[in-house]
Amino acid sequence: MTKAKLIKLIIASVLAIAALFVPYEALGFVGDTALNPLEIRVIAIFVMAALFWILQPFPIWSTSMFVIVLMILTLSNSALIPFRVEGVEPLQFKAIMATFANPIIMLFLGGFFLASAACKYNMDKNLARVLLKPFGKDPKWVLLGLMIITAVFSMFMSNTATAAMMLAILGPVLKLFDENDRGKAAFALAIPLGANIGGMGTPIGTPPNAIALGALQSSGFNISFGQWMEFGVPYVIIMMVLAWLLLLKLYPIKMKEMNLDIEGAEGFDKSPRAIIVYITFAVCVILWVTGSKVHGLNDNVIAMIPMAVFALTGVITKKDLNEMSWDVLWLVAGGFALGLGLQQTGLAKDLINAIPFNTWSPVVLMVGCGFICLFMANFMSHTSTASLLVPIFIVVAVSCKDNLAPLGGVTSLMVAVAFASSLGMCLPISTPPNALAHATGYTDTRGMAITGIVMGIGGLVLSWVMMFGLSKVNFFEAPAEVAAAPAAVTAPAPAAPVYAKPAEVAAPAETIAEPAADSAAVAIPADSAAKVVVDSTAK
């Protein structure tokens, strides 16, 4: 460990330990909102995780794994004896461990299988060749074509993997530009913009989407894959047009004509295994888009189809499996576990009750949450940002659902938060696609900052306008039984030992009762999302 990382580790550890000794009573946590020892420990773990994710003395995925282990050792019914507290209901260690098998993680793993198979049989490059052909040889339209294709791939693949693939394709093209042609920067920036924006179009496109979706599911608000795309894809289209116009304005292209030759895209592979990949990919997309009301399959279940098919047919081998982004899945699981701790200990409820959110304007809530997410996402992983903030904002949203009704309710706020978490892209460190583009040497920090700030703020405003418009047509209207579930969040605690918290405060009763029984139960932690590095190293 370097000296700089050691200093970061010491700072984060000292502040996390200090959180255990803060006089919370003096801060207003008294009476029904008095914090019990487990809640205080969750605060300390939250502080530690936040600082570790921001300062990164360790890889961020390892922080997530440490969070899970630490929670089991200090908060669960299988905790070390010195950490057990009489009169306080501990977390179930099985529920904490279940975060590794959360349905949302299965959704991402299925996406990894599809992406790996597509790359292995050059499906991605050949699709790029076919899709670019209609854009001709005019550099301006080729630029738009590259952005669109990058965005489409990013909807189903990791942002980082998509950016790496597209930049590899673009490499020879960038060498065609004259040395003083600023169009090079436009093409280099088009890839990270397309990757970052495109991922917001589907639930599996970027970890913040998955985290927000998991939080909504665990609170009783369900959005299908197809429903997400109904508003996600139009949002992406508008953002892509704005990004394209911005790049043309900032970086005028002098070249009049260009040819885009893609190495390795000589034609679609017609081998039996390649055909299996094409058919499986198409089937999964169709099933996701049509929704469970048509065929009865849950989105998470659909993601497991390619896993089984590719494994049995040899499309994905043991080597391919080992090369997948498992670090991203561990990162996501840590965020889910943190959300579980915030919810089931009652800490999230107490924090919310201590702040009069119900008196706040829904516009202030929406704008405030959005800017907080955007600011943090520019300086840390998009996944880490969502992992930290979604567990808090979902409780805020549920407790203020009546206040938020004019803007689309709980779902509207969480979708806006997910989008905001993916809009941080003004620095090379903001997201791996930015770093990859910066590494080409054709971009400059100033141009990236201007582009990122404009697209970030513009994206926020667009998300608010879109959510408001959708609320007017009752797009996010929840079923009666779903709307009733969150009520438990604000229910008064029954008489009990001084520190006891009613279990139902954490989430809908059926979600808590059997943590491992079904997908809903496992999804509890989700309210907490890579190259889902993706943002971790991925998005």
Side-chain angles (χ1 to χ4, degrees):
M1 177 178 285
T2 63
K3 183 178 179 180
K5 288 188 175 181
L6 179 61
I7 293 175
K8 293 177 181 178
L9 171 61
I10 294 174
I11 292 174
S13 300
V14 169
L15 291 177
I17 294 173
L20 295 171
F21 302 98
V22 172
Y24 293 100
E25 295 82 1
L27 298 178
F29 293 96
V30 295
D32 291 339
T33 60
L35 303 184
N36 66 46
L38 294 191
E39 291 176 296
I40 294 175
R41 290 174 196 170
V42 171
I43 292 177
I45 293 174
F46 187 92
V47 171
M48 179 208 71
L51 293 175
F52 278 10
W53 277 329
I54 294 172
L55 301 177
Q56 295 188 33
F58 307 107
I60 59 177
W61 65 268
S62 61
T63 295
S64 289
M65 297 194 74
F66 181 54
V67 165
I68 293 176
V69 174
L70 192 59
M71 287 179 63
I72 293 175
L73 296 179
T74 62
L75 302 173
S76 75
N77 58 343
S78 187
L80 292 169
I81 293 178
F83 291 100
R84 299 187 183 185
V85 181
E86 292 295 329
V88 180
E89 183 69 24
L91 300 181
Q92 297 296 310
F93 76 92
K94 290 183 179 180
I96 301 176
M97 289 182 172
T99 57
F100 284 115
N102 187 288
I104 299 298
I105 288 185
M106 294 300 104
L107 184 67
F108 258 94
L109 187 56
F112 289 173
F113 269 72
L114 288 172
S116 178
C119 293
K120 187 174 182 179
Y121 291 92
N122 288 330
M123 176 183 169
D124 48 9
K125 294 181 180 179
N126 281 290
L127 278 177
R129 173 180 58 83
V130 171
L131 295 175
L132 272 177
K133 190 174 181 179
F135 294 94
K137 298 181 179 181
D138 187 324
K140 295 179 181 179
W141 294 110
V142 173
L143 175 65
L144 178 61
L146 284 171
M147 295 179 70
I148 292 175
I149 294 172
T150 303
V152 171
F153 283 143
S154 188
M155 290 182 183
F156 302 96
M157 297 172 56
S158 114
N159 291 1
T160 302
T162 300
M165 175 190 75
M166 296 304 295
L167 284 170
I169 294 173
L170 190 61
V173 179
L174 293 175
K175 296 178 181 178
L176 298 176
F177 285 91
D178 294 334
E179 186 175 349
N180 61 348
D181 193 335
R182 300 185 67 197
K184 293 182 294 185
F187 273 75
L189 284 174
I191 302 304
L193 281 173
N196 291 327
I197 294 172
M200 292 184 270
T202 67
I204 64 170
T206 181
N209 288 4
I211 299 174
L213 186 61
L216 287 167
Q217 290 178 351
S218 67
S219 297
F221 298 86
N222 295 310
I223 300 180
S224 71
F225 200 101
Q227 285 177 317
W228 188 289
M229 291 187 69
E230 284 180 28
F231 60 79
V233 173
Y235 177 85
V236 168
I237 292 174
I238 297 173
M239 287 290 290
M240 292 296 293
V241 172
L242 293 176
W244 177 58
L245 294 175
L246 179 63
L247 288 178
L248 292 178
K249 177 69 175 178
L250 294 177
Y251 304 101
I253 302 174
K254 295 181 179 180
M255 183 183 293
K256 301 302 180 182
E257 183 176 300
M258 69 189 317
N259 292 304
L260 188 59
D261 297 321
I262 303 175
E263 184 179 354
E266 290 77 17
F268 284 95
D269 191 337
K270 295 181 177 60
S271 66
R273 288 178 176 170
I275 293 175
I276 290 174
V277 172
Y278 306 151
I279 294 175
T280 304
F281 199 105
V283 168
C284 288
V285 171
I286 292 172
L287 290 175
W288 273 326
V289 172
T290 54
S292 61
K293 291 183 179 180
V294 175
H295 48 68
L297 295 179
N298 180 275
D299 292 339
N300 308 316
V301 174
I302 296 170
M304 299 186 73
I305 293 176
M307 294 163 60
V309 173
F310 293 163
L312 288 175
T313 57
V315 170
I316 295 297
T317 65
K318 181 180 178 180
K319 180 181 178 182
D320 299 323
L321 192 64
N322 291 335
E323 292 176 350
M324 290 184 184
S325 304
W326 294 98
D327 59 320
V328 171
L329 301 183
W330 305 147
L331 174 64
V332 174
F336 288 171
L338 193 59
L340 175 68
L342 285 167
Q343 289 278 4
Q344 291 201 14
T345 60
L347 174 60
K349 180 187 76 72
D350 288 337
L351 290 175
I352 297 307
N353 288 342
I355 302 174
F357 284 110
N358 287 323
T359 64
W360 289 17
S361 160
V363 174
V364 172
L365 275 177
M366 188 79 78
V367 173
C369 291
F371 272 108
I372 291 173
C373 287
L374 177 62
F375 176 79
M376 293 185 65
N378 276 301
F379 297 94
M380 59 187 289
S381 152
H382 295 179
T383 302
S384 299
T385 299
S387 296
L388 284 172
L389 299 180
V390 166
I392 296 175
F393 290 156
I394 184 63
V395 180
V396 172
V398 171
S399 65
C400 302
K401 62 181 184 299
D402 293 333
N403 221 15
L404 287 168
L407 296 182
V410 175
T411 303
S412 180
L413 176 63
M414 296 314 297
V415 169
V417 165
F419 285 176
S421 297
S422 296
L423 287 170
M425 46 184 156
C426 70
L427 299 171
I429 64 169
S430 296
T431 177
N434 279 24
L436 289 172
H438 187 71
T440 64
Y442 294 108
T443 66
D444 61 282
T445 304
R446 180 176 177 276
M448 185 175 286
I450 294 174
T451 305
I453 291 173
V454 172
M455 293 308 302
I457 296 177
L460 273 181
V461 174
L462 177 61
S463 70
W464 298 331
V465 172
M466 181 172 286
M467 292 304 106
F468 178 75
L470 291 175
S471 70
K472 294 306 178 183
V473 296
N474 296 319
F475 186 87
F476 295 120
E477 187 174 11
E481 64 272 15
V482 170
V489 174
T490 55
V498 62
Y499 288 129
K501 303 291 179 186
E504 64 269 28
V505 166
E510 63 274 16
T511 325
I512 299 173
E514 297 291 338
D518 54 30
S519 73
V522 177
I524 298 176
D527 37 335
S528 59
K531 266 187 159 189
V532 194
V533 156
V534 167
D535 237 347
S536 60
T537 17
K539 299 170 181 214

